């Protein structure tokens, strides 16, 4: 247990366990540490249950300090001469911080990281914003302001509140009239459609949908990424069309991602059941915790996945599990509305696991990524350059 005498190692194991990426060998080490004392178990349960990052960090720092002082105290007892022992104690005041800084990398979101990017220009996260294109071509710029009624179209009132836009009205006769909601880079928006379906739209996303649903189906068209909470209606299937491919449901929750610059389309099912169909009529059925993938050749397959990796964005978080830095920076580009340049191709393949709040400025994420000791960032004119450390 020599390694576990360092609080940093314990911190790493605890957080890896909470993230779900701890190895069997590491789990044995953590279990052994928990069995050593009731105090260890109390610390673990307190850290596990905390949601406040400052309080969690305080507990972990206490753990590190206790472990480090015990180690120093044992070492100083080796020196019989009082002067040597006193010198070792003074040296400990320098060494202890080195034990404690390691926590910043392992804790998810913390104020005190290993490699602070002090010189980094603040890059703010995305905000609630979109452009609504009405059926007559008129454009309305939308933000966080509360407007109440925007306009009435086809017997449906379009209402803007602080959270998004809602379409209110029950009339189901007449011609189809489509609206288009465009969310730019650095933005997000919510739309409640006329049938009650709620759509969370991510950055750089466009949704085309009818002002009101008529006929035997509810069909919308998506480019980008969105999370759907579909209002159940067994008489009218809800269909999301993505570049010719379709997701067909009756009532469920799922995430779809279909960006033009990405090779594949992804449909991730949270609840219910959906049918994913390609443009050439190949299809698969998805159950909860399954993801359907359509590649550029039109081939279709499904995999078991952790849905949190693909849906956490709508709840204000980024969740990464052994994902490449190249993929992470694609997300960063859209959400922070900036350009990322890799000056070393090797950096693209660096993998990373962690949770970060989506509404933090970019420096928080950069500090966590730099704490891996593999890469570093610099900023020039709203462009981020990634290099090997």
């Amino acid at each position: 247990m020599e390694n576990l005498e360092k609080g940093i190692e314990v911190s790493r194991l605890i957080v890896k366990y909470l993230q779900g990426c701890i190895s069997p060998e590491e789990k044995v080490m953590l279990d052994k540490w928990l069995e050593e004392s009731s105090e260890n178990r109390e610390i673990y349960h307190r850290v596990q249950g905390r949601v406040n990052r400052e309080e969690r960090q305080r507990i972990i720092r206490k753990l590190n300090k206790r472990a480090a002082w015990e180690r120093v105290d044992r070492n100083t007892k080796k020196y019989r001469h009082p002067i040597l022992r006193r010198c070792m104690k003074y040296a400990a005041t320098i060494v202890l911080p080195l034990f404690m800084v390691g926590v910043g990398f392992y804790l998810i979101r913390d104020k005190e990281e290993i490699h602070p990017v002090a010189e980094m220009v603040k890059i703010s996260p995305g905000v609630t914003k979109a452009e609504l294109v009405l059926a007559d071509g008129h454009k309305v710029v939308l933000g966080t302001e509360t407007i109440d009624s925007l306009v009435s179209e086809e017997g449906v009132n379009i209402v803007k509140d602080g959270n998004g836009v809602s379409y209110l009205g029950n009339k189901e006769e007449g011609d189809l009239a489509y609206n288009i909601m465009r969310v730019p880079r650095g933005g997000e928006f919510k739309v409640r459609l006329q049938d009650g379906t709620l759509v969370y739209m991510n950055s750089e996303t466009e949704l085309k949908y009818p002002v009101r649903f008529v006929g035997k189906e509810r069909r919308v068209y998506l480019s980008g990424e969105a999370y759907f909470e579909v209002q159940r209606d067994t008489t009218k299937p809800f269909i999301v069309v993505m570049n010719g491919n379709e997701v067909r449901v009756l009532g469920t929750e799922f995430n779809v991602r279909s960006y033009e610059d990405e090779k594949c389309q992804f449909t991730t099912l949270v609840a219910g059941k959906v049918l994913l169909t390609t443009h050439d009529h190949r299809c698969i059925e998805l159950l909860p915790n399954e993801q359907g993938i359509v590649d550029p050749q039109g081939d279709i397959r499904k995999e078991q996945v952790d849905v949190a990796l693909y849906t956490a964005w709508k709840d204000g978080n980024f969740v990464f599990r052994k994902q490449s830095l190249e993929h992470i920076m694609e997300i960063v580009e859209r959400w922070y509305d900036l350009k990322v340049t890799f000056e070393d191709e090797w950096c693209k393949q660096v993998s990373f696991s962690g949770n970060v709040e989506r509404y933090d400025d970019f420096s928080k994420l950069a500090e966590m990524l730099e704490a891996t000791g593999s890469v570093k960032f610099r900023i020039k004119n709203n462009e981020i350059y990634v290099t090997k450390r």
Side-chain angles (χ1 to χ4, degrees):
M1 295 294 292
E2 182 177 350
N3 287 336
L4 285 182
E5 291 175 353
K6 299 178 181 180
I8 295 174
E9 179 70 7
V10 176
S11 305
R12 183 179 70 85
L13 294 177
I14 291 176
V15 175
K16 288 189 73 174
Y17 177 73
L18 296 178
Q19 290 179 341
C21 58
I22 192 169
S23 70
E25 295 79 11
E26 291 170 328
K27 183 61 166 59
V28 170
M29 296 171 69
L30 178 59
D31 289 341
K32 190 172 182 180
W33 178 78
L34 291 171
E35 292 171 0
E36 288 179 355
S37 70
S38 59
E39 184 177 2
N40 288 353
R41 291 190 292 274
E42 180 185 356
I43 289 172
Y44 169 75
H45 291 302
R46 290 173 65 192
V47 172
Q48 185 184 39
R50 297 289 179 177
V51 294
N52 181 280
R53 66 178 185 273
E54 287 84 2
E55 178 63 12
R56 178 176 287 187
Q57 171 67 354
R58 185 189 66 77
I59 297 170
I60 289 290
R61 276 202 300 263
K62 183 178 179 181
L63 165 66
N64 289 348
K65 188 172 182 179
R66 186 193 71 177
W69 270 117
E70 287 175 355
R71 185 178 178 87
V72 170
D73 189 59
R74 285 194 300 273
N75 289 338
T76 57
K77 287 178 181 178
K78 298 177 182 178
Y79 299 91
R80 300 295 181 181
H81 197 286
I83 295 179
L84 288 177
R85 289 188 64 182
R86 188 161 56 250
C87 289
M88 287 297 296
K89 289 287 187 179
Y90 286 136
T93 63
I94 300 174
V95 175
L96 274 173
L98 298 180
F99 284 102
M100 296 169 66
V101 294
V103 177
F105 167 48
Y106 302 117
L107 279 181
I108 302 164
R109 277 200 80 251
D110 197 282
K111 289 184 175 180
E112 300 174 6
E113 318 275 338
I114 295 179
H115 300 289
V117 192
E119 73 282 2
M120 183 166 287
V121 177
K122 182 176 181 179
I123 298 179
S124 298
V127 297
T128 299
K129 62 180 178 180
E131 178 186 69
L132 172 62
V133 183
L134 301 173
D136 62 2
H138 182 67
K139 297 179 180 179
V140 182
V141 177
L142 302 169
T144 57
E145 71 283 353
T146 300
I147 301 177
D148 292 330
S149 182
L150 282 173
V151 70
S152 179
E153 282 190 309
E154 299 294 323
V156 175
N157 292 320
I158 305 175
V159 177
K160 170 71 177 71
D161 58 25
N163 296 315
V165 162
S166 298
Y167 285 70
L168 307 177
N170 296 319
K171 183 180 177 183
E172 297 184 358
E173 297 177 357
D175 298 329
L176 278 175
Y178 283 92
N179 282 181
I180 298 174
M181 188 70 75
R182 296 187 179 124
V183 179
R185 283 192 171 207
E188 63 178 356
F189 210 76
K190 286 193 292 188
V191 183
R192 187 174 294 279
L193 304 180
Q194 178 260 334
D195 69 331
T197 293
L198 183 59
V199 186
Y200 299 78
M201 298 177 62
N202 207 345
S203 300
E204 206 170 17
T205 296
E206 178 177 299
L207 181 69
K208 180 181 178 181
Y209 53 93
V211 175
R212 52 187 172 79
F213 292 102
V214 299
K216 297 181 179 180
E217 64 181 25
R218 297 170 288 169
R219 184 178 293 263
V220 301
Y221 301 83
L222 178 77
S223 172
E225 182 172 27
Y227 184 95
F228 290 82
E229 294 179 0
V230 177
Q231 187 71 26
R232 185 171 180 81
D233 185 345
T234 58
T235 65
K236 287 185 179 182
F238 191 96
I239 302 169
V240 181
V241 182
M242 306 170 292
N243 193 28
N245 303 315
E246 296 182 359
V247 179
R248 179 181 294 261
V249 304
L250 296 178
T252 185
E253 294 187 29
F254 60 97
N255 192 85
V256 290
R257 191 170 84 233
S258 178
Y259 285 109
E260 292 182 359
D261 59 351
E262 292 186 354
K263 295 179 181 179
C264 298
Q265 294 178 355
F266 303 89
T267 301
T268 308
L269 186 60
V270 176
K273 184 168 59 177
V274 306
L275 185 67
L276 176 60
T277 306
T278 65
H279 65 279
D280 57 358
H281 307 296
R282 283 179 282 180
C283 63
I284 56 174
E285 186 177 81
L286 300 179
L287 298 176
N289 301 311
E290 290 184 340
Q291 182 179 78
I293 304 167
V294 181
D295 67 21
Q297 289 72 42
D299 293 329
I300 188 172
R301 68 184 189 277
K302 64 179 178 180
E303 299 175 353
Q304 285 279 333
V305 297
D306 178 358
V307 297
L309 297 178
Y310 305 94
T311 63
W313 65 268
K314 81 174 183 66
D315 297 317
N317 296 293
F318 291 128
V319 177
F320 305 120
R321 296 290 183 270
K322 297 181 180 180
Q323 289 174 287
S324 70
L325 187 59
E326 181 178 25
H327 173 69
I328 292 172
M329 298 314 286
E330 288 173 355
I331 295 172
V332 165
E333 284 186 314
R334 290 193 180 96
W335 181 236
Y336 292 95
D337 189 17
L338 46 78
K339 182 180 179 182
V340 176
T341 299
F342 284 89
E343 296 188 316
D344 191 321
E345 288 293 309
W346 173 86
C347 296
K348 292 182 178 180
Q349 305 309 315
V350 175
S351 64
F352 177 78
S353 296
N355 298 8
V356 184
E357 286 191 13
R358 181 173 155 94
Y359 300 110
D360 279 338
D361 63 76
F362 176 71
S363 65
K364 294 293 184 180
L365 177 58
E367 288 168 10
M368 181 172 284
L369 293 171
E370 285 194 342
T372 64
S374 302
V375 298
K376 61 181 178 180
F377 301 89
R378 60 186 179 87
I379 296 178
K380 182 179 179 181
N381 299 327
N382 211 42
E383 185 170 357
I384 294 178
Y385 295 87
V386 188
T387 59
K388 187 176 180 180
R389 182 172 291 282

